[in-house]
Amino acid sequence: DAGVTQSPTHLIKTRGQQVTLRCSPISGHKSVSWYQQVLGQGPQFIFQYYEKEERGRGNFPDRFSARQFPNYSSELNVNALLLGDSALYLCASSLDTTDTQYFGPGTRLTVL
Amino acid sequence: AQSVSQHNHHVILSEAASLELGCNYSYGGTVNLFWYVQYPGQHLQLLLKYFSGDPLVKGIKGFEAEFIKSKFSFNLRKPSVQWSDTAEYFCAVRGLNQAGTALIFGKGTTLSVSS
């Protein structure tokens, strides 16, 4: 079975731009979570979605938003990019909100 | 607020040495506990997890961890490391009985094993 897939793999943007990251969960998984991993730190929770509804939100500004589609795939949007948004963005999928989360390879975002 | 503390930032061992990585968390209620590993150039993979039951949990590749509730700890152990265990290790906790079910990660421990 395919694991969690994310696109694109790498992305370079300039300050002020907007970016959309995509995630496809493992087949049968209905929950998707997004994390930001800055170099040298552990992943930090951004959002969790289950059955297209937001079930949790971390301590991130309103510039960050997400949604989940009927096929359970998800998008993470970041507006008005700042240099500090440069990070590895991880998507994790799980059967539901309390099950084990399995991570994708991530999208490396560089903001110049 | 929940937090996770991993005591060792960088651990250097020779092959066949024993390994113990510390992890402590702060949350007063019921928790799920995880260890994830990130090998060089690869994505985060689950090593082992604790949800309930036997506090001694066995995972993949000979790793195990023990949940000690009174110490709020979930230390990772392996009796004999191999060069291929070189990776970054993350402890994570999920507090139940609260709004949201996010994983809270520690800062990670880099393990370097020399052959």
Side-chain angles (χ1 to χ4, degrees):
Chain A
D1 282 342
V4 178
T5 59
Q6 292 186 244
S7 63
T9 305
H10 295 90
L11 206 50
I12 298 175
K13 293 285 188 179
T14 56
R15 281 179 295 175
Q17 285 189 310
Q18 174 263 341
V19 68
T20 298
L21 311 180
R22 296 176 176 82
C23 171
S24 292
I26 293 169
S27 177
H29 286 193
K30 297 182 178 182
S31 181
V32 168
S33 300
W34 287 95
Y35 293 82
Q36 180 194 66
Q37 186 177 15
V38 175
L39 198 61
Q41 301 289 322
Q44 188 174 358
F45 173 70
I46 310 175
F47 287 109
Q48 183 178 62
Y49 277 77
Y50 176 68
E51 292 279 18
K52 297 174 289 180
E53 291 188 2
E54 182 182 302
R55 291 301 187 94
R57 171 187 281 257
N59 188 24
F60 279 80
D62 291 344
R63 299 185 295 107
F64 288 76
S65 63
R67 55 180 175 169
Q68 187 178 32
F69 299 99
N71 66 353
Y72 304 111
S73 67
S74 177
E75 285 182 352
L76 174 70
N77 294 285
V78 187
N79 294 322
L81 285 167
L82 303 174
L83 295 179
D85 295 331
S86 294
L88 181 67
Y89 288 85
L90 297 169
C91 173
S93 80
S94 52
L95 287 170
D96 55 39
T97 58
T98 61
D99 196 27
T100 302
Q101 294 183 14
Y102 296 92
F103 285 81
T107 294
R108 173 75 61 187
L109 173 64
T110 302
V111 182
L112 302 177
Chain B
Q2 300 172 63
S3 65
V4 176
S5 176
Q6 291 185 239
H7 314 299
N8 314 99
H9 180 63
H10 193 181
V11 173
I12 302 172
L13 295 173
S14 299
E15 276 193 315
S18 64
L19 170 72
E20 180 160 3
L21 301 182
C23 173
N24 285 88
Y25 65 92
S26 64
Y27 182 71
T30 305
V31 293
N32 296 155
L33 296 159
F34 306 83
W35 277 96
Y36 285 87
V37 61
Q38 192 164 30
Y39 297 103
Q42 297 186 28
H43 60 276
L44 271 174
Q45 301 173 34
L46 181 70
L47 258 185
L48 47 78
K49 62 185 179 183
Y50 172 80
F51 277 25
S52 64
D54 188 344
L56 185 60
V57 178
K58 295 191 184 299
I60 61 172
K61 303 186 180 185
F63 286 92
E64 65 178 30
E66 185 176 12
F67 170 46
I68 303 180
K69 189 175 181 180
S70 61
K71 294 185 178 181
F72 298 91
S73 70
F74 190 55
N75 292 353
L76 181 71
R77 299 193 293 249
K78 186 172 184 179
S80 175
V81 296
Q82 301 174 313
W83 177 81
S84 58
D85 293 325
T86 294
E88 189 152 17
Y89 293 80
F90 293 95
C91 179
V93 63
R94 176 169 59 205
L96 304 180
N97 304 320
Q98 64 166 20
T101 53
L103 294 180
I104 306 300
F105 284 84
K107 292 185 176 181
T109 296
T110 301
L111 172 65
S112 299
V113 180
S114 58
S115 56

